PDB file of all heavy atoms in Angstrom:
ATOM      1  N   PRO A 195     -44.960  64.755  12.728  1.00 96.00           N
ATOM      2  CA  PRO A 195     -44.210  63.722  12.003  1.00 96.00           C
ATOM      3  C   PRO A 195     -43.708  64.157  10.629  1.00 96.00           C
ATOM      4  O   PRO A 195     -42.971  63.421   9.971  1.00 96.00           O
ATOM      5  CB  PRO A 195     -45.227  62.595  11.857  1.00 96.00           C
ATOM      6  CG  PRO A 195     -46.552  63.307  11.770  1.00 96.00           C
ATOM      7  CD  PRO A 195     -46.418  64.503  12.691  1.00 96.00           C
ATOM      8  N   GLY A 196     -44.077  65.345  10.174  1.00 97.00           N
ATOM      9  CA  GLY A 196     -43.733  65.783   8.825  1.00 97.00           C
ATOM     10  C   GLY A 196     -42.245  66.035   8.647  1.00 97.00           C
ATOM     11  O   GLY A 196     -41.523  66.337   9.596  1.00 97.00           O
ATOM     12  N   ARG A 197     -41.811  65.942   7.398  1.00 98.00           N
ATOM     13  CA  ARG A 197     -40.408  66.156   7.048  1.00 98.00           C
ATOM     14  C   ARG A 197     -40.232  67.562   6.501  1.00 98.00           C
ATOM     15  O   ARG A 197     -41.029  68.026   5.679  1.00 98.00           O
ATOM     16  CB  ARG A 197     -39.989  65.127   5.986  1.00 98.00           C
ATOM     17  CG  ARG A 197     -38.522  65.182   5.590  1.00 98.00           C
ATOM     18  CD  ARG A 197     -38.159  63.951   4.777  1.00 98.00           C
ATOM     19  NE  ARG A 197     -38.756  63.986   3.443  1.00 98.00           N
ATOM     20  CZ  ARG A 197     -38.065  64.221   2.325  1.00 98.00           C
ATOM     21  NH1 ARG A 197     -36.751  64.443   2.387  1.00 98.00           N
ATOM     22  NH2 ARG A 197     -38.655  64.210   1.156  1.00 98.00           N
ATOM     23  N   ILE A 198     -39.201  68.268   6.959  1.00 98.00           N
ATOM     24  CA  ILE A 198     -38.913  69.617   6.480  1.00 98.00           C
ATOM     25  C   ILE A 198     -37.643  69.579   5.640  1.00 98.00           C
ATOM     26  O   ILE A 198     -36.596  69.111   6.086  1.00 98.00           O
ATOM     27  CB  ILE A 198     -38.757  70.609   7.645  1.00 98.00           C
ATOM     28  CG1 ILE A 198     -40.095  70.763   8.386  1.00 98.00           C
ATOM     29  CG2 ILE A 198     -38.271  71.967   7.132  1.00 98.00           C
ATOM     30  CD1 ILE A 198     -40.033  71.700   9.570  1.00 98.00           C
ATOM     31  N   VAL A 199     -37.756  70.075   4.410  1.00 98.00           N
ATOM     32  CA  VAL A 199     -36.655  70.083   3.448  1.00 98.00           C
ATOM     33  C   VAL A 199     -36.347  71.537   3.095  1.00 98.00           C
ATOM     34  O   VAL A 199     -37.258  72.362   2.974  1.00 98.00           O
ATOM     35  CB  VAL A 199     -37.038  69.306   2.168  1.00 98.00           C
ATOM     36  CG1 VAL A 199     -35.917  69.368   1.136  1.00 98.00           C
ATOM     37  CG2 VAL A 199     -37.392  67.869   2.512  1.00 98.00           C
ATOM     38  N   THR A 200     -35.090  71.865   2.937  1.00 98.00           N
ATOM     39  CA  THR A 200     -34.695  73.206   2.496  1.00 98.00           C
ATOM     40  C   THR A 200     -33.955  73.107   1.170  1.00 98.00           C
ATOM     41  O   THR A 200     -33.194  72.165   0.935  1.00 98.00           O
ATOM     42  CB  THR A 200     -33.797  73.899   3.535  1.00 98.00           C
ATOM     43  OG1 THR A 200     -32.627  73.109   3.754  1.00 98.00           O
ATOM     44  CG2 THR A 200     -34.532  74.096   4.847  1.00 98.00           C
ATOM     45  N   THR A 201     -34.192  74.095   0.300  1.00 98.00           N
ATOM     46  CA  THR A 201     -33.529  74.105  -0.997  1.00 98.00           C
ATOM     47  C   THR A 201     -33.525  75.516  -1.571  1.00 98.00           C
ATOM     48  O   THR A 201     -34.409  76.325  -1.263  1.00 98.00           O
ATOM     49  CB  THR A 201     -34.228  73.151  -1.988  1.00 98.00           C
ATOM     50  OG1 THR A 201     -33.533  73.184  -3.241  1.00 98.00           O
ATOM     51  CG2 THR A 201     -35.676  73.545  -2.219  1.00 98.00           C
ATOM     52  N   SER A 202     -32.552  75.789  -2.412  1.00 97.00           N
ATOM     53  CA  SER A 202     -32.521  77.046  -3.163  1.00 97.00           C
ATOM     54  C   SER A 202     -33.042  76.862  -4.586  1.00 97.00           C
ATOM     55  O   SER A 202     -33.107  77.826  -5.356  1.00 97.00           O
ATOM     56  CB  SER A 202     -31.081  77.590  -3.207  1.00 97.00           C
ATOM     57  OG  SER A 202     -30.630  77.907  -1.908  1.00 97.00           O
ATOM     58  N   ASP A 203     -33.419  75.648  -4.929  1.00 97.00           N
ATOM     59  CA  ASP A 203     -33.897  75.308  -6.263  1.00 97.00           C
ATOM     60  C   ASP A 203     -35.421  75.383  -6.298  1.00 97.00           C
ATOM     61  O   ASP A 203     -36.109  74.521  -5.739  1.00 97.00           O
ATOM     62  CB  ASP A 203     -33.425  73.889  -6.616  1.00 97.00           C
ATOM     63  CG  ASP A 203     -33.743  73.492  -8.051  1.00 97.00           C
ATOM     64  OD1 ASP A 203     -34.725  74.017  -8.619  1.00 97.00           O
ATOM     65  OD2 ASP A 203     -33.007  72.657  -8.596  1.00 97.00           O
TER      66      ASP A 203
END
Side-chain angles (χ1 to χ4, degrees):
R197 184 168 71 107
I198 294 179
V199 177
T200 59
T201 181
S202 296
D203 186 333

